[in-house]
Amino acid sequence: MISKNQLKLLRALGQKKQRKAHGLFLVEGEKNVLELVDTSLVVKQVFATDDFLQKHASELSQYDCIEASLEELTKASSLVSNNAAVAIVEIPNVQAPSAEGMIIALDGVSDPGNLGTIIRIADWYGIKHIVASSDCADPYNPKTIRATMGSFGRVQVTLLDLPRYLNEASIPVYGAFLEGESVHSTDFSEQGILLMGSESHGVRPEAEQYVTDKITIPSFGGAESLNVAMATGIIMDNYRRQHS
Amino acid sequence: MISKNQLKLLRALGQKKQRKAHGLFLVEGEKNVLELVDTSLVVKQVFATDDFLQKHASELSQYDCIEASLEELTKASSLVSNNAAVAIVEIPNVQAPSAEGMIIALDGVSDPGNLGTIIRIADWYGIKHIVASSDCADPYNPKTIRATMGSFGRVQVTLLDLPRYLNEASIPVYGAFLEGESVHSTDFSEQGILLMGSESHGVRPEAEQYVTDKITIPSFGGAESLNVAMATGIIMDNYRRQHS
């Protein structure tokens, strides 16, 4: 059973301010909770149905598990759908990454669903680091975590002063624009930064000044733009074609 | 002002059954409504704010326009967000396409947001035709239309008996699977069918039997799968690299 205080904490962690104050975030959904086992993240508590706890007793034995009904869990969840499991996890200390393969940099990507999808596609292509301007969506927002489909534990996201980070990086910065060199003919260096802007504002001038290579996804029809997560996936596929 | 009967119709068209009965669908949002001008779709009525009607008077002069407040339009809309414009449009008669470049075929893609995103990516890559199994999302669902971001008028979607269509097609059928030939080394024919399954069930056996080439997007990390729209975009980019 979820106590009154536990319920209060679970609900509080739906808000960014509270996540920051407690240094904790929520991992919701069966698949995501099970993914925790393979990460170095510190799990404080797991709330889950009896069914789920029994089915995964061995994986979950290392955690402090609390049994709860599906109704309780749904009530505690920040998300609409039913939830057989929710974990409270410590927000890890992350450092801005130094050069290691391709790093994805996000400028003003404020939608948590987009950020989560980008974390998932980064994980697909084996990208370990995302850096993001401080006005990007919170990587620990429950909507972000949900959209990663379990990839949150394998990709590190660091919110930082993006222009400063780009200024100090001494590797190529590939910026995605509607006009630039086609990614079909771009010669990607193995180490670099792929800079993606938001759908509505693109890469902003403060970050654009550090772009060394403007690149674009060639268009063959009438659509004006692509979703930022989609564009990131397509560009990463073009990069991986050259560096696997 | 929107009359009581008009409001009733607008609301009814949020439901598939009612769209079918009336032969009509809704196009919501300023950008989508303006896209109608460049299509051959038959527009019955446009409901929009005074602001919108004045700003786009010349484009909209051919239509029966009805002024309404933002409150009225939001009330009439099937979607949550504010809406400065909504159009009632005739569902066109569409025929199953014969071979013309690459055709995208969808098997059991039931989420309207995914279908809309696939329509948008098809339009980006200049693909004119999508065929979809009859249990796919309705191409005229307001959520589908919204997710196309204006591309609904340039891509034709036909719901049909998919196994039968694939059986009768005499062009290569490229099926996307988690195991298959890497799209980085696939030699795509110019004319063909790209068959995509749903995220949860993949391509089902009834359709799989007609696949001539199993292809896959190479993975380099830990993510187990990709969203179907994302995968479609990445494969189309690989196709267009060979056939532009």
Side-chain angles (χ1 to χ4, degrees):
Chain A
M1 221 190 97
I2 303 177
S3 74
K4 225 171 173 176
N5 275 340
Q6 288 165 338
L7 182 63
K8 207 173 144 191
L9 178 61
L10 285 165
R11 288 221 173 128
L13 296 180
Q15 297 169 278
K16 186 174 182 178
K17 205 172 119 185
Q18 295 288 335
R19 287 194 291 278
K20 210 175 160 186
H22 288 91
L24 298 169
F25 71 106
L26 299 176
V27 171
E28 301 178 307
E30 303 178 52
K31 183 175 156 51
N32 280 329
V33 168
L34 290 174
E35 287 284 345
L36 285 167
V37 176
D38 296 320
T39 70
S40 58
L41 290 165
V42 178
V43 177
K44 303 291 283 185
Q45 270 169 331
V46 174
F47 301 87
T49 58
D50 185 36
D51 256 20
F52 181 83
L53 293 175
Q54 285 195 13
K55 204 168 152 196
H56 303 287
S58 59
E59 295 105 301
L60 299 173
S61 60
Q62 55 183 314
Y63 300 139
D64 175 16
C65 294
I66 290 149
E67 193 199 314
S69 69
L70 204 55
E71 291 74 41
E72 281 182 287
L73 288 162
T74 303
K75 231 171 106 185
S77 168
S78 66
L79 299 168
V80 188
S81 55
N82 273 3
N83 236 344
V86 182
I88 297 181
V89 182
E90 284 184 14
I91 295 179
N93 275 318
V94 291
Q95 304 275 316
S98 50
E100 184 194 337
M102 188 63 83
I103 293 163
I104 296 173
L106 304 176
D107 186 26
V109 175
S110 56
D111 180 74
N114 276 341
L115 176 58
T117 306
I118 292 171
I119 293 171
R120 183 181 179 192
I121 192 78
D123 186 27
W124 180 269
Y125 284 111
I127 303 302
K128 301 260 178 283
H129 296 286
I130 295 174
V131 296
S133 64
S134 47
D135 59 349
C136 279
D138 182 5
Y140 301 106
N141 184 317
K143 287 181 192 157
T144 309
I145 299 289
R146 179 66 68 111
T148 71
M149 299 293 278
S151 290
F152 64 89
R154 285 180 295 270
V155 178
Q156 177 190 307
V157 183
T158 315
L159 294 193
L160 43 63
D161 179 341
L162 187 63
R164 190 171 156 185
Y165 177 81
L166 296 173
N167 182 28
E168 289 170 1
S170 51
I171 47 178
V173 178
Y174 298 94
F177 291 85
L178 284 172
E179 280 162 30
E181 192 190 350
S182 164
V183 292
H184 292 174
S185 53
T186 300
D187 190 11
F188 287 100
S189 64
E190 195 186 343
Q191 294 201 341
I193 294 168
L194 170 61
L195 174 61
M196 306 294 301
S198 76
E199 230 166 306
S200 33
H201 303 105
V203 172
R204 291 170 291 191
E206 295 77 15
E208 183 179 347
Q209 62 182 312
Y210 301 111
V211 169
T212 57
D213 298 81
K214 286 196 179 186
I215 58 174
T216 198
I217 299 171
S219 159
F220 300 81
E224 279 168 29
S225 65
L226 288 176
N227 166 277
V228 57
M230 176 72 79
T232 305
I234 292 169
I235 297 173
M236 285 316 309
D237 186 72
N238 279 273
Y239 164 75
R240 276 297 182 207
R241 178 182 271 274
Q242 292 173 29
H243 302 284
S244 58
Chain B
M1 222 189 96
I2 303 176
S3 76
K4 226 171 170 174
N5 276 339
Q6 288 165 337
L7 181 63
K8 208 174 144 189
L9 178 60
L10 284 165
R11 287 221 174 130
L13 296 179
Q15 297 169 279
K16 185 173 182 177
K17 206 174 119 184
Q18 295 287 336
R19 287 193 291 277
K20 209 174 161 187
H22 288 92
L24 299 171
F25 71 106
L26 299 177
V27 172
E28 302 179 307
E30 302 178 52
K31 182 175 156 53
N32 280 329
V33 168
L34 290 175
E35 288 282 346
L36 285 166
V37 176
D38 296 320
T39 71
S40 58
L41 290 165
V42 178
V43 177
K44 304 291 282 182
Q45 269 169 330
V46 174
F47 300 87
T49 57
D50 185 36
D51 255 20
F52 181 82
L53 293 175
Q54 284 195 14
K55 203 168 151 196
H56 304 287
S58 60
E59 295 104 301
L60 300 172
S61 60
Q62 55 183 313
Y63 301 139
D64 175 16
C65 293
I66 289 148
E67 193 200 313
S69 68
L70 202 57
E71 290 74 42
E72 281 183 289
L73 288 162
T74 303
K75 231 170 106 184
S77 167
S78 66
L79 299 169
V80 188
S81 55
N82 274 2
N83 236 344
V86 183
I88 296 180
V89 182
E90 283 184 15
I91 294 179
N93 276 318
V94 292
Q95 304 275 315
S98 51
E100 183 195 336
M102 188 62 83
I103 292 163
I104 295 172
L106 303 177
D107 185 25
V109 176
S110 55
D111 179 75
N114 276 342
L115 177 58
T117 305
I118 292 170
I119 293 171
R120 183 180 179 192
I121 194 79
D123 186 27
W124 180 269
Y125 284 111
I127 303 303
K128 301 261 178 281
H129 297 285
I130 295 173
V131 298
S133 63
S134 48
D135 60 350
C136 279
D138 182 4
Y140 301 106
N141 184 317
K143 286 181 195 161
T144 309
I145 298 288
R146 178 66 68 111
T148 71
M149 298 292 280
S151 291
F152 64 91
R154 287 181 294 270
V155 178
Q156 179 189 304
V157 183
T158 315
L159 295 192
L160 42 64
D161 180 340
L162 187 63
R164 190 171 156 186
Y165 177 81
L166 296 173
N167 183 29
E168 289 169 2
S170 52
I171 48 178
V173 177
Y174 298 93
F177 291 85
L178 284 172
E179 279 161 31
E181 191 190 351
S182 164
V183 292
H184 292 174
S185 53
T186 300
D187 190 12
F188 288 100
S189 65
E190 194 185 344
Q191 294 200 343
I193 294 169
L194 170 61
L195 174 61
M196 306 293 301
S198 75
E199 229 166 307
S200 33
H201 303 106
V203 172
R204 291 170 292 191
E206 296 76 14
E208 182 178 347
Q209 61 183 311
Y210 301 111
V211 169
T212 57
D213 299 81
K214 286 196 178 187
I215 58 174
T216 198
I217 299 172
S219 158
F220 299 82
E224 278 169 29
S225 65
L226 289 176
N227 164 278
V228 58
M230 177 71 79
T232 306
I234 291 170
I235 298 173
M236 285 315 308
D237 186 74
N238 279 274
Y239 164 75
R240 276 299 182 204
R241 180 182 270 275
Q242 292 173 29
H243 301 285
S244 59

